[in-house]
Amino acid sequence: MRELSERIIHNQLLAEGIYHMRVESPTCAEEAKPGQFVHLSCSGTTTPLLRRPISICDINRPMEYMDLVYQVKGEGTALLARMEAGEKINMLAPLGHGFDLPKAGERVAIIGGGLGVYPMLFLARESKGINTSCLGFRNKELAVLVADFARFSRVEVATEDGSLGQRGYVTQLLEEGIQNGGFDVIYACGPLPMLKAVHEIALQYGIRCQVSMEERMACGIGACLGCACETAEGEMQHVCSCGPVFNSRELSWK
Ligand code: FES
């Protein structure tokens, strides 16, 4: 983990309330792994109290830039949305434990729901497996990055209102994929009920499964104690420092 001051290449509206920030970052381009996150200062340079953990959406290693996609949800992210190309942004990065990448040729299911779709793009890019990305959104308007995933994987989309792809939940796409050939490993990021459902499916079919618990993070640096999650052994762990990625069987899903 380092403290970096990086130049914003652009910071654009992607969909209602959702922004795409591209940042020049040779350090992250060299060191970051899929599933890791950055802790951004929302007020430009060094104000320490206004930081937000944002997952790394994608990294272009040769071009040395990093993409961050975030939803404006409060004061911090509203400040982020006002930052402009050319400004420097202070960050602690890269943070957390990322995904264990699949072996070449493995059949890989990449499951993202809502905001949990964004960090999975970097995984799709770096995975050398045979990738299927199952992406779930509330509706068509919030369905971002679908074409980007299509560069690195087969893509299936589900929306809750049926306005794009299949009507329903992303877990239905996962089950259909399992019936139609199966997977060697599942990776998932999204809301807790979705992750629990994905874990149960993985258990039922005996498939390895890693989940990113980033929804449970607040401060991102071990300061707020708001990210505790319980392991299957009954121990408490911090999502920000021990995760955000865990093997799903190591966690308690009660
Ligand atoms: Fe604050 Fe982990 S998010 S301690």
Side-chain angles (χ1 to χ4, degrees):
M1 187 261 283
R2 322 253 194 107
E3 182 166 6
L4 306 169
S5 177
E6 308 292 45
R7 193 179 69 87
I8 297 172
I9 298 171
H10 64 67
N11 188 26
Q12 296 167 342
L13 190 67
L14 260 193
E16 199 190 330
I18 299 171
Y19 284 78
H20 174 208
M21 181 185 282
R22 178 163 292 174
V23 179
E24 217 170 66
S25 185
T27 302
C28 289
E30 192 181 327
E31 296 177 7
K33 297 192 178 68
Q36 288 191 300
F37 63 100
V38 300
H39 202 226
L40 290 183
S41 164
C42 302
S43 45
T45 49
T46 52
T47 306
L49 292 176
L50 255 183
R51 287 188 183 273
R52 290 291 175 271
I54 306 283
S55 56
I56 297 172
C57 169
D58 195 13
I59 289 213
N60 188 316
R61 297 196 194 272
M63 300 295 287
E64 299 189 328
Y65 65 72
M66 167 168 67
D67 288 330
L68 305 168
V69 174
Y70 59 95
Q71 186 179 38
V72 174
K73 287 200 275 199
E75 187 193 356
T77 43
L79 284 168
L80 273 187
R82 279 189 231 129
M83 297 188 76
E84 292 180 359
E87 281 185 65
K88 291 272 190 167
I89 186 161
N90 176 285
M91 64 180 77
L92 304 174
L95 297 175
H97 292 278
F99 293 103
D100 296 330
L101 291 180
K103 296 188 195 81
E106 283 193 304
R107 296 162 304 164
V108 178
I110 296 171
I111 314 297
L115 310 186
V117 165
Y118 317 150
M120 304 311 268
L121 180 59
F122 188 19
L123 176 67
R125 177 192 284 272
E126 300 259 304
S127 164
K128 301 285 179 274
I130 302 157
N131 303 327
T132 300
S133 297
C134 302
L135 311 177
F137 303 97
R138 214 168 331 126
N139 55 47
K140 183 174 153 199
E141 284 68 41
L142 296 173
V144 297
L145 305 174
V146 175
D148 300 275
F149 275 91
R151 293 170 55 209
F152 309 114
S153 63
R154 207 166 72 80
V155 178
E156 304 278 353
V157 174
T159 49
E160 288 176 26
D161 65 356
S163 53
L164 187 71
Q166 186 167 311
R167 179 192 292 267
Y169 293 110
V170 75
T171 41
Q172 293 163 230
L173 300 177
L174 172 62
E175 289 214 87
E176 284 167 19
I178 292 171
Q179 312 296 346
N180 300 326
F183 299 109
D184 299 305
V185 56
I186 300 170
Y187 300 94
C189 184
L192 207 52
M194 183 204 100
L195 294 182
K196 184 167 190 269
V198 169
H199 161 70
E200 283 165 359
I201 292 168
L203 211 54
Q204 183 188 343
Y205 290 94
I207 304 171
R208 266 161 41 229
C209 179
Q210 292 202 318
V211 293
S212 175
M213 304 288 287
E214 60 170 31
E215 203 197 29
R216 298 286 298 272
M217 273 197 302
C219 77
I221 49 159
C224 72
L225 308 180
C227 67
C229 74
E230 195 180 346
T231 66
E233 263 96 59
E235 287 169 11
M236 297 311 280
Q237 296 211 329
H238 284 143
V239 171
C240 62
S241 48
C242 305
V245 174
F246 296 90
N247 289 321
S248 75
R249 288 163 176 78
E250 285 172 9
L251 297 175
S252 163
W253 295 94
K254 279 181 235 142

